[in-house]
mmCIF file of all heavy atoms in Angstrom:
data_model
loop_
_atom_site.group_PDB
_atom_site.id
_atom_site.type_symbol
_atom_site.label_atom_id
_atom_site.label_comp_id
_atom_site.label_asym_id
_atom_site.label_seq_id
_atom_site.Cartn_x
_atom_site.Cartn_y
_atom_site.Cartn_z
ATOM 1 N N ALA I 1 171.047 288.521 178.029
ATOM 2 C CA ALA I 1 171.921 287.349 178.144
ATOM 3 C C ALA I 1 173.008 287.575 179.188
ATOM 4 O O ALA I 1 173.341 286.673 179.967
ATOM 5 C CB ALA I 1 172.536 287.025 176.783
ATOM 6 N N THR I 2 173.562 288.799 179.222
ATOM 7 C CA THR I 2 174.606 289.120 180.201
ATOM 8 C C THR I 2 174.045 289.105 181.615
ATOM 9 O O THR I 2 174.667 288.569 182.542
ATOM 10 C CB THR I 2 175.233 290.491 179.892
ATOM 11 O OG1 THR I 2 175.818 290.452 178.591
ATOM 12 C CG2 THR I 2 176.287 290.851 180.915
ATOM 13 N N LEU I 3 172.857 289.690 181.811
ATOM 14 C CA LEU I 3 172.243 289.709 183.133
ATOM 15 C C LEU I 3 171.936 288.299 183.619
ATOM 16 O O LEU I 3 172.137 287.977 184.798
ATOM 17 C CB LEU I 3 170.965 290.555 183.094
ATOM 18 C CG LEU I 3 171.166 292.059 182.864
ATOM 19 C CD1 LEU I 3 169.828 292.743 182.608
ATOM 20 C CD2 LEU I 3 171.884 292.699 184.039
ATOM 21 N N ILE I 4 171.452 287.453 182.712
ATOM 22 C CA ILE I 4 171.172 286.058 183.074
ATOM 23 C C ILE I 4 172.460 285.345 183.466
ATOM 24 O O ILE I 4 172.511 284.607 184.458
ATOM 25 C CB ILE I 4 170.472 285.335 181.903
ATOM 26 C CG1 ILE I 4 169.052 285.898 181.720
ATOM 27 C CG2 ILE I 4 170.412 283.828 182.147
ATOM 28 C CD1 ILE I 4 168.362 285.425 180.451
ATOM 29 N N ARG I 5 173.527 285.550 182.674
ATOM 30 C CA ARG I 5 174.804 284.888 182.941
ATOM 31 C C ARG I 5 175.379 285.327 184.297
ATOM 32 O O ARG I 5 175.999 284.531 185.008
ATOM 33 C CB ARG I 5 175.796 285.191 181.828
ATOM 34 C CG ARG I 5 177.108 284.410 181.941
ATOM 35 C CD ARG I 5 177.942 284.506 180.675
ATOM 36 N NE ARG I 5 178.345 285.865 180.366
ATOM 37 C CZ ARG I 5 177.882 286.580 179.357
ATOM 38 N NH1 ARG I 5 176.955 286.063 178.548
ATOM 39 N NH2 ARG I 5 178.311 287.802 179.128
ATOM 40 N N LEU I 6 175.174 286.597 184.652
ATOM 41 C CA LEU I 6 175.679 287.106 185.923
ATOM 42 C C LEU I 6 174.747 286.806 187.099
ATOM 43 O O LEU I 6 175.074 287.093 188.246
ATOM 44 C CB LEU I 6 175.902 288.617 185.826
ATOM 45 C CG LEU I 6 176.990 289.084 184.862
ATOM 46 C CD1 LEU I 6 176.996 290.596 184.752
ATOM 47 C CD2 LEU I 6 178.357 288.581 185.301
ATOM 48 N N GLY I 7 173.575 286.248 186.802
ATOM 49 C CA GLY I 7 172.632 285.921 187.857
ATOM 50 C C GLY I 7 171.945 287.128 188.459
ATOM 51 O O GLY I 7 171.539 287.112 189.629
ATOM 52 N N ILE I 8 171.797 288.213 187.673
ATOM 53 C CA ILE I 8 171.165 289.444 188.160
ATOM 54 C C ILE I 8 169.687 289.440 187.793
ATOM 55 O O ILE I 8 169.344 289.326 186.618
ATOM 56 C CB ILE I 8 171.855 290.684 187.549
ATOM 57 C CG1 ILE I 8 173.316 290.743 187.994
ATOM 58 C CG2 ILE I 8 171.119 291.958 187.932
ATOM 59 C CD1 ILE I 8 174.117 291.839 187.319
ATOM 60 N N PRO I 9 168.776 289.539 188.754
ATOM 61 C CA PRO I 9 167.347 289.585 188.429
ATOM 62 C C PRO I 9 166.998 290.864 187.682
ATOM 63 O O PRO I 9 167.514 291.941 187.993
ATOM 64 C CB PRO I 9 166.663 289.535 189.796
ATOM 65 C CG PRO I 9 167.691 290.020 190.767
ATOM 66 C CD PRO I 9 169.020 289.626 190.207
ATOM 67 N N PHE I 10 166.099 290.753 186.696
ATOM 68 C CA PHE I 10 165.750 291.929 185.908
ATOM 69 C C PHE I 10 164.339 291.798 185.346
ATOM 70 O O PHE I 10 163.800 290.702 185.186
ATOM 71 C CB PHE I 10 166.750 292.138 184.767
ATOM 72 C CG PHE I 10 166.727 291.069 183.699
ATOM 73 C CD1 PHE I 10 166.054 291.263 182.500
ATOM 74 C CD2 PHE I 10 167.394 289.863 183.897
ATOM 75 C CE1 PHE I 10 166.035 290.285 181.522
ATOM 76 C CE2 PHE I 10 167.390 288.872 182.922
ATOM 77 C CZ PHE I 10 166.715 289.082 181.731
ATOM 78 N N ALA I 11 163.750 292.960 185.041
ATOM 79 C CA ALA I 11 162.464 293.042 184.352
ATOM 80 C C ALA I 11 162.685 293.794 183.048
ATOM 81 O O ALA I 11 163.671 294.520 182.902
ATOM 82 C CB ALA I 11 161.438 293.762 185.220
ATOM 83 N N VAL I 12 161.761 293.625 182.102
ATOM 84 C CA VAL I 12 161.918 294.241 180.786
ATOM 85 C C VAL I 12 160.653 295.005 180.416
ATOM 86 O O VAL I 12 159.540 294.487 180.557
ATOM 87 C CB VAL I 12 162.214 293.185 179.693
ATOM 88 C CG1 VAL I 12 162.310 293.853 178.319
ATOM 89 C CG2 VAL I 12 163.494 292.423 180.005
ATOM 90 N N TRP I 13 160.836 296.237 179.940
ATOM 91 C CA TRP I 13 159.739 297.020 179.353
ATOM 92 C C TRP I 13 160.128 297.306 177.911
ATOM 93 O O TRP I 13 161.032 298.084 177.639
ATOM 94 C CB TRP I 13 159.556 298.311 180.135
ATOM 95 C CG TRP I 13 158.415 299.169 179.646
ATOM 96 C CD1 TRP I 13 157.457 298.840 178.732
ATOM 97 C CD2 TRP I 13 158.108 300.507 180.079
ATOM 98 N NE1 TRP I 13 156.576 299.871 178.551
ATOM 99 C CE2 TRP I 13 156.952 300.917 179.362
ATOM 100 C CE3 TRP I 13 158.696 301.385 180.981
ATOM 101 C CZ2 TRP I 13 156.396 302.178 179.547
ATOM 102 C CZ3 TRP I 13 158.136 302.635 181.158
ATOM 103 C CH2 TRP I 13 156.996 303.024 180.455
ATOM 104 N N HIS I 14 159.450 296.636 176.993
ATOM 105 C CA HIS I 14 159.762 296.780 175.569
ATOM 106 C C HIS I 14 158.469 297.048 174.821
ATOM 107 O O HIS I 14 157.537 296.248 174.880
ATOM 108 C CB HIS I 14 160.428 295.511 175.041
ATOM 109 C CG HIS I 14 160.866 295.606 173.614
ATOM 110 N ND1 HIS I 14 161.970 296.335 173.232
ATOM 111 C CD2 HIS I 14 160.339 295.081 172.467
ATOM 112 C CE1 HIS I 14 162.130 296.236 171.909
ATOM 113 N NE2 HIS I 14 161.140 295.500 171.432
ATOM 114 N N GLU I 15 158.402 298.176 174.113
ATOM 115 C CA GLU I 15 157.159 298.502 173.414
ATOM 116 C C GLU I 15 157.066 297.717 172.109
ATOM 117 O O GLU I 15 157.798 297.976 171.172
ATOM 118 C CB GLU I 15 157.044 300.001 173.156
ATOM 119 C CG GLU I 15 158.214 300.641 172.452
ATOM 120 C CD GLU I 15 157.924 302.080 172.081
ATOM 121 O OE1 GLU I 15 156.843 302.594 172.424
ATOM 122 O OE2 GLU I 15 158.779 302.693 171.433
ATOM 123 N N GLY I 16 156.171 296.741 172.087
ATOM 124 C CA GLY I 16 155.982 295.957 170.873
ATOM 125 C C GLY I 16 156.413 294.515 171.034
ATOM 126 O O GLY I 16 157.047 294.131 172.019
ATOM 127 N N PRO I 17 156.073 293.685 170.045
ATOM 128 C CA PRO I 17 156.383 292.249 170.119
ATOM 129 C C PRO I 17 157.857 291.955 169.860
ATOM 130 O O PRO I 17 158.584 292.763 169.291
ATOM 131 C CB PRO I 17 155.517 291.662 169.002
ATOM 132 C CG PRO I 17 155.404 292.772 167.998
ATOM 133 C CD PRO I 17 155.368 294.036 168.807
ATOM 134 N N THR I 18 158.293 290.810 170.291
ATOM 135 C CA THR I 18 159.639 290.325 169.999
ATOM 136 C C THR I 18 159.583 288.817 169.839
ATOM 137 O O THR I 18 158.685 288.161 170.380
ATOM 138 C CB THR I 18 160.622 290.720 171.124
ATOM 139 O OG1 THR I 18 161.948 290.351 170.742
ATOM 140 C CG2 THR I 18 160.263 290.035 172.430
ATOM 141 N N LYS I 19 160.507 288.265 169.088
ATOM 142 C CA LYS I 19 160.462 286.832 168.778
ATOM 143 C C LYS I 19 160.664 285.969 170.019
ATOM 144 O O LYS I 19 159.981 284.986 170.232
ATOM 145 C CB LYS I 19 161.517 286.500 167.721
ATOM 146 C CG LYS I 19 161.217 287.069 166.341
ATOM 147 C CD LYS I 19 162.283 286.660 165.331
ATOM 148 C CE LYS I 19 161.963 287.232 163.948
ATOM 149 N NZ LYS I 19 163.008 286.867 162.952
ATOM 150 N N ARG I 20 161.645 286.346 170.839
ATOM 151 C CA ARG I 20 161.949 285.550 172.021
ATOM 152 C C ARG I 20 162.034 286.447 173.245
ATOM 153 O O ARG I 20 162.677 287.483 173.221
ATOM 154 C CB ARG I 20 163.275 284.808 171.848
ATOM 155 C CG ARG I 20 163.249 283.745 170.759
ATOM 156 C CD ARG I 20 164.588 283.014 170.709
ATOM 157 N NE ARG I 20 164.594 281.992 169.673
ATOM 158 C CZ ARG I 20 165.636 281.218 169.387
ATOM 159 N NH1 ARG I 20 166.771 281.381 170.074
ATOM 160 N NH2 ARG I 20 165.574 280.311 168.433
ATOM 161 N N ARG I 21 161.370 285.994 174.301
ATOM 162 C CA ARG I 21 161.440 286.730 175.555
ATOM 163 C C ARG I 21 162.384 286.007 176.515
ATOM 164 O O ARG I 21 162.282 284.796 176.689
ATOM 165 C CB ARG I 21 160.060 286.840 176.195
ATOM 166 C CG ARG I 21 159.057 287.642 175.372
ATOM 167 C CD ARG I 21 157.756 287.783 176.135
ATOM 168 N NE ARG I 21 156.782 288.548 175.380
ATOM 169 C CZ ARG I 21 155.562 288.865 175.836
ATOM 170 N NH1 ARG I 21 155.203 288.471 177.063
ATOM 171 N NH2 ARG I 21 154.738 289.564 175.095
ATOM 172 N N PRO I 22 163.279 286.735 177.165
ATOM 173 C CA PRO I 22 164.172 286.083 178.125
ATOM 174 C C PRO I 22 163.420 285.714 179.403
ATOM 175 O O PRO I 22 162.356 286.265 179.694
ATOM 176 C CB PRO I 22 165.213 287.173 178.399
ATOM 177 C CG PRO I 22 164.458 288.449 178.190
ATOM 178 C CD PRO I 22 163.509 288.178 177.062
ATOM 179 N N LYS I 23 163.980 284.806 180.155
ATOM 180 C CA LYS I 23 163.410 284.466 181.452
ATOM 181 C C LYS I 23 163.768 285.581 182.429
ATOM 182 O O LYS I 23 164.928 285.776 182.771
ATOM 183 C CB LYS I 23 163.969 283.131 181.939
ATOM 184 C CG LYS I 23 163.540 281.939 181.084
ATOM 185 C CD LYS I 23 164.110 280.637 181.628
ATOM 186 C CE LYS I 23 163.662 279.463 180.760
ATOM 187 N NZ LYS I 23 164.237 278.176 181.261
ATOM 188 N N CYS I 24 162.741 286.314 182.865
ATOM 189 C CA CYS I 24 162.987 287.467 183.721
ATOM 190 C C CYS I 24 161.861 287.612 184.735
ATOM 191 O O CYS I 24 160.879 286.857 184.713
ATOM 192 C CB CYS I 24 163.121 288.734 182.874
ATOM 193 S SG CYS I 24 161.699 289.102 181.829
ATOM 194 N N LEU I 25 161.995 288.596 185.618
ATOM 195 C CA LEU I 25 160.979 288.814 186.644
ATOM 196 C C LEU I 25 159.623 289.159 186.051
ATOM 197 O O LEU I 25 158.576 288.701 186.525
ATOM 198 C CB LEU I 25 161.425 289.960 187.568
ATOM 199 C CG LEU I 25 162.704 289.754 188.390
ATOM 200 C CD1 LEU I 25 163.103 291.069 189.050
ATOM 201 C CD2 LEU I 25 162.483 288.671 189.432
ATOM 202 N N TYR I 26 159.647 289.995 185.003
ATOM 203 C CA TYR I 26 158.395 290.497 184.426
ATOM 204 C C TYR I 26 158.689 291.073 183.059
ATOM 205 O O TYR I 26 159.732 291.694 182.845
ATOM 206 C CB TYR I 26 157.806 291.574 185.346
ATOM 207 C CG TYR I 26 156.543 292.232 184.860
ATOM 208 C CD1 TYR I 26 155.349 291.521 184.755
ATOM 209 C CD2 TYR I 26 156.548 293.575 184.492
ATOM 210 C CE1 TYR I 26 154.188 292.145 184.300
ATOM 211 C CE2 TYR I 26 155.401 294.205 184.051
ATOM 212 C CZ TYR I 26 154.213 293.481 183.950
ATOM 213 O OH TYR I 26 153.075 294.098 183.500
ATOM 214 N N TRP I 27 157.762 290.856 182.125
ATOM 215 C CA TRP I 27 157.898 291.399 180.766
ATOM 216 C C TRP I 27 156.682 292.272 180.469
ATOM 217 O O TRP I 27 155.548 291.859 180.678
ATOM 218 C CB TRP I 27 157.991 290.278 179.734
ATOM 219 C CG TRP I 27 158.078 290.776 178.319
ATOM 220 C CD1 TRP I 27 157.044 291.197 177.534
ATOM 221 C CD2 TRP I 27 159.254 290.920 177.533
ATOM 222 N NE1 TRP I 27 157.505 291.592 176.306
ATOM 223 C CE2 TRP I 27 158.865 291.429 176.272
ATOM 224 C CE3 TRP I 27 160.608 290.659 177.755
ATOM 225 C CZ2 TRP I 27 159.774 291.686 175.246
ATOM 226 C CZ3 TRP I 27 161.510 290.911 176.744
ATOM 227 C CH2 TRP I 27 161.089 291.421 175.501
ATOM 228 N N CYS I 28 156.925 293.487 179.984
ATOM 229 C CA CYS I 28 155.845 294.414 179.658
ATOM 230 C C CYS I 28 156.005 294.874 178.213
ATOM 231 O O CYS I 28 157.094 295.296 177.819
ATOM 232 C CB CYS I 28 155.886 295.609 180.597
ATOM 233 S SG CYS I 28 154.662 296.877 180.236
ATOM 234 N N SER I 29 154.931 294.797 177.425
ATOM 235 C CA SER I 29 154.987 295.179 176.009
ATOM 236 C C SER I 29 154.196 296.441 175.702
ATOM 237 O O SER I 29 153.903 296.726 174.538
ATOM 238 C CB SER I 29 154.454 294.027 175.137
ATOM 239 O OG SER I 29 155.246 292.877 175.290
ATOM 240 N N ASP I 30 153.829 297.225 176.719
ATOM 241 C CA ASP I 30 153.054 298.440 176.494
ATOM 242 C C ASP I 30 153.913 299.540 175.869
ATOM 243 O O ASP I 30 155.111 299.619 176.121
ATOM 244 C CB ASP I 30 152.479 298.944 177.815
ATOM 245 C CG ASP I 30 151.388 298.036 178.338
ATOM 246 O OD1 ASP I 30 151.680 296.849 178.568
ATOM 247 O OD2 ASP I 30 150.259 298.497 178.531
ATOM 248 N N PRO I 31 153.318 300.426 175.050
ATOM 249 C CA PRO I 31 154.079 301.530 174.436
ATOM 250 C C PRO I 31 154.567 302.517 175.488
ATOM 251 O O PRO I 31 153.976 302.650 176.558
ATOM 252 C CB PRO I 31 153.057 302.175 173.487
ATOM 253 C CG PRO I 31 151.719 301.775 174.023
ATOM 254 C CD PRO I 31 151.900 300.425 174.624
ATOM 255 N N PHE I 32 155.655 303.228 175.149
ATOM 256 C CA PHE I 32 156.196 304.237 176.055
ATOM 257 C C PHE I 32 155.299 305.474 176.032
ATOM 258 O O PHE I 32 154.996 305.999 174.959
ATOM 259 C CB PHE I 32 157.605 304.659 175.636
ATOM 260 C CG PHE I 32 158.613 303.537 175.629
ATOM 261 C CD1 PHE I 32 159.634 303.511 174.687
ATOM 262 C CD2 PHE I 32 158.553 302.518 176.575
ATOM 263 C CE1 PHE I 32 160.564 302.499 174.682
ATOM 264 C CE2 PHE I 32 159.477 301.486 176.573
ATOM 265 C CZ PHE I 32 160.497 301.475 175.621
ATOM 266 N N PRO I 33 154.871 305.985 177.197
ATOM 267 C CA PRO I 33 154.106 307.236 177.227
ATOM 268 C C PRO I 33 154.938 308.395 176.697
ATOM 269 O O PRO I 33 156.171 308.349 176.678
ATOM 270 C CB PRO I 33 153.784 307.421 178.714
ATOM 271 C CG PRO I 33 153.878 306.045 179.304
ATOM 272 C CD PRO I 33 154.973 305.372 178.530
#
């Protein structure tokens, strides 16, 4: 939310599902090696 408010482009790597995904460059749900 802070990155969106500041207008900073970002991508997310989160292992597992989440209820809501933010609007971002790219979302990845793969587990961490």
Side-chain angles (χ1 to χ4, degrees):
T2 300
L3 293 170
I4 291 170
R5 187 168 62 250
L6 294 174
I8 297 173
F10 67 99
V12 177
W13 182 9
H14 184 74
E15 53 172 3
T18 186
K19 291 182 180 179
R20 294 183 180 179
R21 296 184 180 182
K23 294 181 180 179
C24 57
L25 297 171
Y26 177 67
W27 178 280
C28 177
S29 298
D30 290 59
F32 299 146

